[in-house]
Amino acid sequence: MTSTILLTGGTGTLGGHVTPLLREAGYRIRLLSRSTREATEGIEYVTGDLLKGEGIDAAVAGVDTIVHLAGGPKGDEIATQNLVQAAAAAGVQHFVHISVIGADTIPLGYFKAKLGAERAIIESGLPYTILRAAQFHDLALKTVQAMAKMPIVPAPHAIRWQPVDSREVAARLVELANGDPAGLVTDLAGPTVYTLPELIRSYLTAVGKRRPFLPIRVPGKAGKAYRAGVNLNLDNARIGKRTWEDFLTEQLG
């Protein structure tokens, strides 16, 4: 195939895995970036800003498929709305989007923004595929590394994660981009559920450190949601194979 795919978020963790897989599949890639970059073999860079609505028309022109990975702590719904409006006007035939398990159930700003982005896509009239994934191993590692620096580590047992390997998410997204629009597809999660303290302890063990833990209760609606496990999918998710322990071994040696 020689068609061009527009990729947003291509310079991030997930994008770094998706880009070579798309190239291996034979696609030309147009990568939207806030900074100017020189083209490389098979990759064209277009400067733009989704949140500001800049450069988007040029980015979507002439592409049939968009793989939308760009995201941040704020403004996902606005950035996605700007992108889908331009995509619909350009006649894009397939809009592939990465979201998060719990987008419609966790009452926190990040999850609400992800749900807003999903709704913008669904309401746009574009043919779409949305994949909700669990938190990546990469994010879990950053989280536990930060918490492990504290002299006394807060231990919110209510928070449970089902971390998944970002490379497996990337492979699934490329598989979906190669197929027909499928709507909201089966969630993708990791093979094991951990409490946040369990993730921290496994990291401390791997690096040969010890810390005292202070049990804490997560208050409010968010705490209630986490205690109910609504950020997990224990029933019908597609389950990845790479474990958190495998990932720690790779990263820490």
Side-chain angles (χ1 to χ4, degrees), residues 84-103:
V84 297
Q85 285 180 345
V92 169
Q93 296 300 303
H94 193 184
F95 193 103
V96 181
H97 179 58
I98 182 65
S99 188
V100 62
I101 297 174

Side-chain angles (χ1 to χ4, degrees), residues 126-182:
L126 286 166
Y128 70 90
T129 301
I130 295 173
L131 171 66
R132 290 177 176 171
Q135 283 76 21
F136 299 165
H137 290 146
D138 312 79
L139 175 62
L141 180 58
K142 289 179 181 178
T143 301
V144 300
Q145 283 176 327
M147 296 183 74
K149 292 178 181 178
M150 302 178 187
I152 300 177
V153 179
H157 287 274
I159 296 180
R160 292 178 292 160
W161 282 1
Q162 198 174 357
V164 66
D165 197 279
S166 55
R167 291 163 293 184
E168 293 180 317
V169 178
R172 178 62 172 146
L173 284 166
V174 173
E175 178 185 19
L176 293 169
N178 275 323
D180 295 327

Side-chain angles (χ1 to χ4, degrees), residues 2-253:
T2 57
S3 61
T4 299
I5 279 186
L6 173 64
L7 178 64
T8 75
T11 59
T13 297
L14 183 58
H17 300 313
V18 168
T19 298
L21 293 178
L22 287 175
R23 290 290 297 126
E24 289 174 13
Y27 289 104
R28 294 189 300 264
I29 299 173
R30 181 178 297 163
L31 199 153
L32 182 65
S33 173
R34 287 195 296 268
S35 58
T36 302
R37 297 170 181 260
E38 293 294 327
T40 59
E41 184 178 357
I43 303 177
E44 167 196 4
Y45 290 90
V46 177
T47 305
D49 189 309
L50 293 176
L51 197 55
K52 295 180 181 178
E54 298 173 350
I56 303 176
D57 288 341
V60 301
V63 301
D64 291 326
T65 301
I66 294 174
V67 177
H68 180 40
L69 312 180
K74 294 182 180 180
D76 266 4
E77 69 277 36
I78 299 171
T80 303
Q81 180 67 52
N82 289 337
L83 180 58
V84 297
Q85 285 180 345
V92 169
Q93 296 300 303
H94 193 184
F95 193 103
V96 181
H97 179 58
I98 182 65
S99 188
V100 62
I101 297 174
D104 56 344
T105 54
I106 299 292
L108 293 174
Y110 171 78
F111 293 89
K112 290 179 180 179
K114 286 295 185 184
L115 181 61
E118 290 184 10
R119 287 174 174 166
I121 296 163
I122 294 167
E123 294 170 3
S124 70
L126 286 166
Y128 70 90
T129 301
I130 295 173
L131 171 66
R132 290 177 176 171
Q135 283 76 21
F136 299 165
H137 290 146
D138 312 79
L139 175 62
L141 180 58
K142 289 179 181 178
T143 301
V144 300
Q145 283 176 327
M147 296 183 74
K149 292 178 181 178
M150 302 178 187
I152 300 177
V153 179
H157 287 274
I159 296 180
R160 292 178 292 160
W161 282 1
Q162 198 174 357
V164 66
D165 197 279
S166 55
R167 291 163 293 184
E168 293 180 317
V169 178
R172 178 62 172 146
L173 284 166
V174 173
E175 178 185 19
L176 293 169
N178 275 323
D180 295 327
L184 182 63
V185 298
T186 302
D187 297 345
L188 178 56
T192 309
V193 175
Y194 307 86
T195 66
L196 190 51
E198 285 174 338
L199 292 171
I200 301 169
R201 285 194 180 93
S202 61
Y203 167 75
L204 288 170
T205 298
V207 297
K209 295 182 179 180
R210 298 179 67 182
R211 292 284 190 276
F213 280 66
L214 176 65
I216 63 171
R217 180 178 175 84
V218 181
K221 293 181 179 179
K224 182 178 180 181
Y226 276 115
R227 284 189 290 275
V230 295
N231 63 307
L232 309 173
N233 188 331
L234 306 177
D235 299 321
N236 59 3
R238 182 168 175 157
I239 302 299
K241 295 181 179 179
R242 294 190 182 99
T243 67
W244 164 247
E245 290 79 11
D246 292 337
F247 178 79
L248 275 184
T249 300
E250 287 178 357
Q251 295 298 308
L252 304 177

